[in-house]
């Protein structure tokens, strides 16, 4: 701890209540009975250290006594006999040396020759010669290679013995065999070298048997020889050795403990030597023995100079301590007598039994002296352990004169008068010196404890010796040790880690036997066995440390909000494990609660101060320069700090009852919330005054920061409400962003289309594209922009469901606008591609006017119909794929937005319909241009190529249909949506398309779209008479444009599906001409006229003569008539299949199937009308051929595989449409009489009326009304159609669209009508009157149903008069 932190803690005004007697420092005074000077403490420490030197075991040295040489009788051993042991080794591994052994042996042999071997026996010249001879043979390449391969022990030993023998025989007489014993000796050295190599490289572990055999061989070789080192030890002269005691030098350099005393007291060795010389005569072993005898006598007399019963709380504790002192004193006396046997002689001649020190008994450890001296370190200078018997017969008893025993300061030589005070000073000096000693290495750091320094081994040995001589109890040593640590901790000399280590040091178990551990642990924790003075001192230490630690804890906790604060864990650990766990410490709950409250208040003040610093740091002084960025930075700083504190204290949330995170959020978050509200409001106000707008992204970023802070606020303060509604303050930024998106969505779409070449996206050129590769990039980019637009709002995690639902509603409108634009642009390009001229048409366009007329006249004269296949562009099919992909993506987007949930939220937060009047500003009229009848012929061939253009009264074009070639009764079935805010006059003009020149006007008509006339929202059909000739059928319905997310998605879906249908129709129109050609009455007539001869033609003019039955066409002929059509379909389908997706392909084929049904229907019956038709009915043979064609076409479009029965074409539910079933029923009525048909029609009409009346009686939804209206007044006013309106709400996703289609199909099957009968009756002139009557009946029923529906809607809306408001659903 630094001095500055100590000073700051001492003057802190917030912790006065936890400071004892108002003091602010950690220092506290503990009263002592005696003031001891440093010099006095030094003197007594020096005495004990010197006495340790006097009593230490004497060093003995060996002295050689030479002896006369004796003749040695030796006999050489047979090497072959000695090597027989290796043949008995069973383990093959032990018979061989390990790998790389030869390399190591070569190195060691070289070391012997160079004199690097440390053992003296390898330094002899004769040994080096023998080793050199073997080294030369060993390093020969062939021998070394063989040895590395075999690695046999016997080979190596025998080769060495052979070379050593040769070397030793040199210069010897043949009769001289003295070299044999020398050869054995050198071989033994070689075996020893091998063993050393195996041991040093740990190869001996794997080869224990080899190691044992080598040791046995070495022993046998040395049987007839002296020790190998005898020559060097005894100087080669022989003789014997004796041990003699080394005399004491009485020099400080030989006194380790005296040197320690000098160091810790700052004295030189010379000063210590001088002090010892001057007191050497007094500080003797005899004086030490006298001290022990005096102490024992005082103990028996219960003197105040030793511990007495008054010093203990319990008498039993005193008796236990006193009983344990006797054996320890005996041990000390034995140690002195052993060191100085002369002190055992007594003038009284009495003899005492010789006592071994181990006979002290089991009670010797109860006092805690010997154990405590062994606890801190194991001293090699111990002075009280004896290892031989001692004669104590000369010990004289102490004079028992009480007056002598009560002398004050001169009672003892080595024991001070107040041993506790002296010991404390010595301990303090030793600890201070060791902490400052840089040469003293700290303990090794572990995961639990850092590297620490306490007492050195030398200081511990000195203190052990002092406690032993002064008879300091173990608990007194503990108490005084903690007292010194406490003092140094208060004075900032030791750290908290050192304090913790000191407590662990005294609690650590003894390293000795288990019995001692249990006894010392019992003594430490059984406070009844402590002295009263030690117990009181321990209480004062704990109390003082507790106050100091709490102050440290307060100071450290105040820094908990810093980037790298100091840890409070160590302080709390020391408090919990060393202060509170101690039975001597009493913790007051009231004081702890007060400290917790003060700490919490301090943390709150610190948090407030820190927030002010943040405010000054991140918020400029000038309000004009304020930006959202400053609020965000301030919020980020608060959130970062809160998250850091939460993470930092996630395991231990509280510090002594105070929660740093709670104090932080309770202080900072409310302050920030209030400031953020005021700052944001001020920024917005200043921006409005300047006429500027805050960037939208700044608002979004600010919202994210504020929401995160609110989350933390709600988690930390669940009962405290946030200062303001963030969403209400920043919702304008979202609306601005939506408005900006709405303004740019068109440009996004245009740019995406502009960058697209509408090609399939094949990954590998030449391969057939997959389903996912058949649409181009523009639709992907468009929907990517849609998703990004919606995700931008979703990612805000807007915490206001109503506002979020309104945002999604507005975005749905934007998406709908984008889809409408995309459909418009793509369809324009598609139409341009589909309306291009064929090569023949281009050639005709280049002809002169006269050439064109001549060609038309020629075609008309030859009645030629030129049908050429249309060459489709792949880009056109890709555009249709894009629309199909857009439908699926929009459906996916609709589910992701969760449209139904948005509607539910808005409805729950919107007043009921009866409580509000909803004003509708926009109305959506859906006009379906169905068909036309009896149009004027404008072309020279007696026909027309009609198309319809819708415009308003200002001649603005609103819609245009496709062209129907060569047809005076065309059927378009095209739909257009027109949005208006009030009544609108629509002018419908039918034009005749001409290849050259201007287009001719076929006729005009008009209709007024007035929202007040469509308040029932029921669809109506209008037969509008043209101003020239013929009439036009329009089906009109109205729907109020609502600010509803389901409405916008439905409108977008309907736009896509309508575009998809129109594009599909344009594709099928290119094929419909050939369909009409192959399924026309001309083709039927051509089939029936095959094989007609001249006679049959002449018989035609002879009508009076009976005619023979003509042979009809065979089934093969009927089938062959359709082969060109099937081939035409196959060729076009093959082209389409290369580009169109499966769904689009089925859609095109389904549309062609509808065209087939319409064409066949037109062959059989005329269109529905109230006027008679000039169309001739078919005969039975013709009708059978038509139905055979229908069956063949059904199978062709279904395309069932004959083997797998897998459907490859149009699904069955599409083929079996209501029109298909209507055609199937034609056979039942086609040849029936007119009277029967009229009766059947009347029954069906009555059943329909009864069914409608029954439904009205059940107060159910209106039943299907009249199917069509005919001319006259009803045609001018319009009648409600029996068909259900294809409203936008029914088209809001693929699910609702499929459901509506299925209901329509079921309804058509469940409610048959008489339309087919009425169309058959048009070919019966006698039924003209019935057709007019039936038309009037349908008009009356439709008018009644419409009136009833209006009344019912009025009642459901709240009764009374119609208010003009539109219902919500």
């Amino acid at each position: 701890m630094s001095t500055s932190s100590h000073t700051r803690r001492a003057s802190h005004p917030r912790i006065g209540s936890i400071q004892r007697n108002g003091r602010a420092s950690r220092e506290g005074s503990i009263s002592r009975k005696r003031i001891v000077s440093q010099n006095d403490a030094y003197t007594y420490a020096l005495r004990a250290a010197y006495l340790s030197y006097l009593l230490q075991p004497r060093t003995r040295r060996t002295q050689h006594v030479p002896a006369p040489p004796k003749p040695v009788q030796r006999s050489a051993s047979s090497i072959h006999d000695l090597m027989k042991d290796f043949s008995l080794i069973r383990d093959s591994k032990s018979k061989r040396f390990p790998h790389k052994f030869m390399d190591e042996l070569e190195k060691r042999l070289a070391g012997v020759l160079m004199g690097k071997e440390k053992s003296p026996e390898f330094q002899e010249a004769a040994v080096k010669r023998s080793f050199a001879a073997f080294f030369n043979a060993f390093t020969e390449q062939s021998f070394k290679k063989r040895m590395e391969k075999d690695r046999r022990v016997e080979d190596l030993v025998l080769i060495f013995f052979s070379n050593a023998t040769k070397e030793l025989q040199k210069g010897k007489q043949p009769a001289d065999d003295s070299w044999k014993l020398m050869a054995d000796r050198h071989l033994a050295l070689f075996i020893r070298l091998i063993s050393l190599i195996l041991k040093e490289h740990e190869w001996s572990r794997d080869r224990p048997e080899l190691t044992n055999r080598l040791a046995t061989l070495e022993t046998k070789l040395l049987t007839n020889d002296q020790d190998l080192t005898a020559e060097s030890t005894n100087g080669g002269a022989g003789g014997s050795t004796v041990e003699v005691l080394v005399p004491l030098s009485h020099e400080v350099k030989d006194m380790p403990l005296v040197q320690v005393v000098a160091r810790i007291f700052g004295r030189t060795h010379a000063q210590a030597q001088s002090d010892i010389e001057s007191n050497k005569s007094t500080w003797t072993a005899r004086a030490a023995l006298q001290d022990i005898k005096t102490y024992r006598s005082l103990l028996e007399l219960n003197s105040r100079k030793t511990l007495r019963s008054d010093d203990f709380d319990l008498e039993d504790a005193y008796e236990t301590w006193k009983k344990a002192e006797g054996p320890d004193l005996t041990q000390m006396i034995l140690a002195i007598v052993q060191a100085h046997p002369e002190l055992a002689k007594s003038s009284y001649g009495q003899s005492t039994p010789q006592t071994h020190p181990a006979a002290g008994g089991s009670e010797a450890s109860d006092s805690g002296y010997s154990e405590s001296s062994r606890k801190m370190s194991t001293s090699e200078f111990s002075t009280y352990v004896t290892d031989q018997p001692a004669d104590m017969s000369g010990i004289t008893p102490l004079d028992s004169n009480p007056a002598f025993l009560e002398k004050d300061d001169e009672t003892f030589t080595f024991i001070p008068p107040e041993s506790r005070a002296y010991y404390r000073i010595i301990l303090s000096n030793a600890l201070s010196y060791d902490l400052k000693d840089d040469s003293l290495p700290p303990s090794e750091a572990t995961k639990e404890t850092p590297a620490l320094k306490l007492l050195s081994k030398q200081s511990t040995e000195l203190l052990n010796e002092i406690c032993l001589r002064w008879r300091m109890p173990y608990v007194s040593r503990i108490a005084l040790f903690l007292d010194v640590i406490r003092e140094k901790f208060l004075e900032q000399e030791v750290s908290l880690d050192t304090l913790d280590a000191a407590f662990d040091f005294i609690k650590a178990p003894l390293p000795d036997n288990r019995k001692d551990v249990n006894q010392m642990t019992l003594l430490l924790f059984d406070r009844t066995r402590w002295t009263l003075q030690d117990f009181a001192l321990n209480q004062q230490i704990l109390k003082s440390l507790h106050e100091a630690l709490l102050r440290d804890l307060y100071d450290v906790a105040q820094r908990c909000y810093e980037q790298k604060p100091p840890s409070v864990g160590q302080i709390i650990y020391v408090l919990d494990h060393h202060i509170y766990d101690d039975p001597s410490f009493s913790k007051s709950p009231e004081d702890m609660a007060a400290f917790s409250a003060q700490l919490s208040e301090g943390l709150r003040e610190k948090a407030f101060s820190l927030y002010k610093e943040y405010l000054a740091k991140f918020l400029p002084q000038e309000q004009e320069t304020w930006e959202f960025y400053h609020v965000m930075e301030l919020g980020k700083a608060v959130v970062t700090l809160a998250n850091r504190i939460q993470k930092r204290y996630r395991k231990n949330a509280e510090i002594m009852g105070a929660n740093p995170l709670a104090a932080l959020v309770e202080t900072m978050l409310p302050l920030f919330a209030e400031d953020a509200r005021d700052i944001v409001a001020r920024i917005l106000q200043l921006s409005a005054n300047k006429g500027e707008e805050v960037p939208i992204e700044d608002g979004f970023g600010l919202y994210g920061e504020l929401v995160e802070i609110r989350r933390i606020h709600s988690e930390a303060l669940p009962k405290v409400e946030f200062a303001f509604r963030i969403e209400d303050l920043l919702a304008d930024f979202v609306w601005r962003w939506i408005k900006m998106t709405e303004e740019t969505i068109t440009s996004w779409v245009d740019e995406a289309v502009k960058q697209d070449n509408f090609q399939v996206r094949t990954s590998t050129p030449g391969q057939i594209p997959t389903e996912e590769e058949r649409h181009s990039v523009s639709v992907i980019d468009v929907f990517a922009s849609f998703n990004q637009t919606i995700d931008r709002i979703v990612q805000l995690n807007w915490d206001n469901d109503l506002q979020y639902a309104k945002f999604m509603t507005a975005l749905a409108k934007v998406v709908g606008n984008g889809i409408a634009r995309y459909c418009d642009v793509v369809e324009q390009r598609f139409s341009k591609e589909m309306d291009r001229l064929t090569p023949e048409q281009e050639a005709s366009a280049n002809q002169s006017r006269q050439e064109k007329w001549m060609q038309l006249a020629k075609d008309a004269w030859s009645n030629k119909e030129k049908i050429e296949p249309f060459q489709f562009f792949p880009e056109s099919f890709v555009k249709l794929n894009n629309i199909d992909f857009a439908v699926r993506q929009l459906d996916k987007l609709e589910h992701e937005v969760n449209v139904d949930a948005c509607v539910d939220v808005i409805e729950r937060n919107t007043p009921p319909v009866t409580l509000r009047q909803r004003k509708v500003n926009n109305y959506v009229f859906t006009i379906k241009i169905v068909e036309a009848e009896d149009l004027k012929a404008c072309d020279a061939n007696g026909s027309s190529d009609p198309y319809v253009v819708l415009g308003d009264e200002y001649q603005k074009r609103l819609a245009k249909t496709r062209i129907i070639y060569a047809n005076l009764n065309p059927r378009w079935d095209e739909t257009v949506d027109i949005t208006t805010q009030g009544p609108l006059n629509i002018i419908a003009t039918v034009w005749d398309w001409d290849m050259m020149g201007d287009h001719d006007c076929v006729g005009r008509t008009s209709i007024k779209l007035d929202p007040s006339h469509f308040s029932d929202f029921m669809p109506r059909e209008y037969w509008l008479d043209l101003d020239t000739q013929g009439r036009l059928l329009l089906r009109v319905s109205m729907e109020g444009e609502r600010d509803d997310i389901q409405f916008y998605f439905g409108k977008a879906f309907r736009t896509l599906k309508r575009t998809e249908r129109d594009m599909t129709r344009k594709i099928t129109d290119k094929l419909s001409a050939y369909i009409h050609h192959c399924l026309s009455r001309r083709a039927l007539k051509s089939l029936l006229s095959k094989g007609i001869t001249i006679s049959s033609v002449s018989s035609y003019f002879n009508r009076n003569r009976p005619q023979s039955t003509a042979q009809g066409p065979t089934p093969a002929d009927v089938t062959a008539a359709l082969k060109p059509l099937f081939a035409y379909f196959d060729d076009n389908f093959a082209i389409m299949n290369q580009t169109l997706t499966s769904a689009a392909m089925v859609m095109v084929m389904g549309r062609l199937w509808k065209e087939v049904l319409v064409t066949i229907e037109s062959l059989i019956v005329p269109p529905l009308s109230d006027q008679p038709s000039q169309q001739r009915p078919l005969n039975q043979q013709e009708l059978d051929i038509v139905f055979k064609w229908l069956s063949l076409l059904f199978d062709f479009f279904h395309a069932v595989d004959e083997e797998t029965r897998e459907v490859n074409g149009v699904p069955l539910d599409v083929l079996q449409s209501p029109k298909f079933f209507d055609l199937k029923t034609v056979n039942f009525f086609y040849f029936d009489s007119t009277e029967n048909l009229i009766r059947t029609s009347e029954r069906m009409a009555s059943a329909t009326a009864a069914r409608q009346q029954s439904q009205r009686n059940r107060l159910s939804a209106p039943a299907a009304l009249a199917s069509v209206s005919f001319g006259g007044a009803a045609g001018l006013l319009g009648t409600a159609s029996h068909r259900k309106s294809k409203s936008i709400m029914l088209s809001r996703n693929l699910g609702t669209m499929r459901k509506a289609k299925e209901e329509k199909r079921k309804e058509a099957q469940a409610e048959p009508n008489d339309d087919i009968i009425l169309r058959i009756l048009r070919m019966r002139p006698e039924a003209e009157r019935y057709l007019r009557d039936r038309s009037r009946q349908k008009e009356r029923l439709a008018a009644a149903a419409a009136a009833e529906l209006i009344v019912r809607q009025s009642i459901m809306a709240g009764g009374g008069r119609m208010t003009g408001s539109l219902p919500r659903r």
Side-chain angles (χ1 to χ4, degrees), residues 652-803:
N652 299 310
E654 293 185 349
I655 301 176
M656 299 295 289
N659 191 319
L661 180 62
L664 179 71
V665 297
E666 288 173 1
T667 304
M668 276 196 175
L669 295 187
L671 290 174
F672 173 80
E674 295 175 2
D675 289 345
R677 176 194 60 197
D678 298 339
I679 295 172
V680 171
R682 183 58 178 167
I683 293 174
L684 295 176
Q685 181 182 358
L686 292 174
S687 299
N689 295 339
K690 296 178 182 179
E692 301 174 352
E693 288 186 339
V694 179
I696 295 176
E697 289 301 323
D698 290 354
F700 287 173
L702 177 62
Y703 178 78
E705 291 298 329
L706 293 178
V707 167
E708 178 64 15
I709 293 177
R710 184 173 61 186
R711 180 190 65 80
I712 299 175
H713 184 279
S714 62
E715 292 178 356
L717 308 172
K719 298 182 179 179
V720 179
E721 188 176 357
F722 201 67
F724 67 101
R725 291 290 301 169
I726 304 173
E727 289 73 19
D728 295 341
L729 188 62
L730 300 179
D732 184 61
F733 288 92
V734 182
W735 288 117
R736 284 172 50 198
W737 187 82
I738 294 175
K739 181 180 179 182
M740 181 188 69
T741 304
E742 185 177 10
E743 293 172 352
T744 57
I745 193 69
T746 302
S747 61
W748 292 356
V749 173
D750 292 344
E751 188 64 25
V753 174
K754 182 179 179 182
Q755 300 295 329
D756 194 3
N757 56 6
F758 294 97
Q759 298 291 332
V760 293
R761 300 170 294 106
T762 53
S763 57
T764 303
Q767 287 189 352
I768 299 177
T770 63
E771 289 289 315
E772 296 300 325
E773 295 176 342
R774 295 185 179 229
H775 51 269
S776 60
V777 296
S778 62
V779 68
I780 298 176
D781 295 341
V782 167
F783 273 90
S785 64
F786 292 162
N787 285 313
Q788 290 174 2
T789 300
I790 294 175
D791 289 343
R792 189 68 184 90
I793 302 301
V794 173
Q795 291 170 1
L796 291 176
N797 295 320
W798 201 262
D799 195 18
N800 186 307
D801 292 341
L802 179 59
Q803 290 180 349

Side-chain angles (χ1 to χ4, degrees), residues 363-375:
E363 296 178 354
S365 62
D366 291 343
S367 64
Y369 292 112
S370 57
E371 289 77 3
S372 63
S373 62
R374 291 194 302 271
K375 174 173 172 38

Side-chain angles (χ1 to χ4, degrees), residues 54-55 58 248 284-286 335-344:
L54 294 178
L55 301 182
R58 298 288 183 86
L248 296 176
T284 61
R286 184 178 296 278
I336 296 174
V337 172
Q338 178 182 342
H340 297 274
E342 69 277 5
L343 298 179

Side-chain angles (χ1 to χ4, degrees), residues 103 176 237 271 291 316 328 367 370 506 603 629 649 681 701 753 786 868 1025 1148 1154 1229 1233 1278 1322 1353:
D103 295 335
D176 187 3
Q271 291 175 327
D291 282 354
D316 181 61
D328 284 348
S367 64
S370 57
I506 64 174
L603 292 174
Y629 170 78
Y649 296 101
V753 174
F786 292 162
E868 298 291 342
D1025 292 329
V1148 172
K1154 290 182 180 180
F1229 308 109
S1233 64
R1322 283 195 66 195
Q1353 289 178 346

Side-chain angles (χ1 to χ4, degrees), residues 542-583:
L542 295 177
K543 185 176 182 181
S544 177
L545 287 176
H546 181 249
E547 294 178 356
L549 290 172
L550 287 184
R551 285 191 288 271
D552 281 351
L553 179 63
Y554 184 92
D555 289 343
V556 172
Q558 293 299 299
R559 301 175 58 188
C560 68
Y561 301 135
E562 296 179 3
Q563 185 72 25
K564 294 183 179 180
S567 174
V568 299
Q570 188 70 6
I571 300 177
I572 296 176
Y573 178 86
V574 173
L575 286 171
D576 290 340
H577 291 80
H578 301 316
I579 305 298
Y580 299 147
D581 284 354
D582 197 295

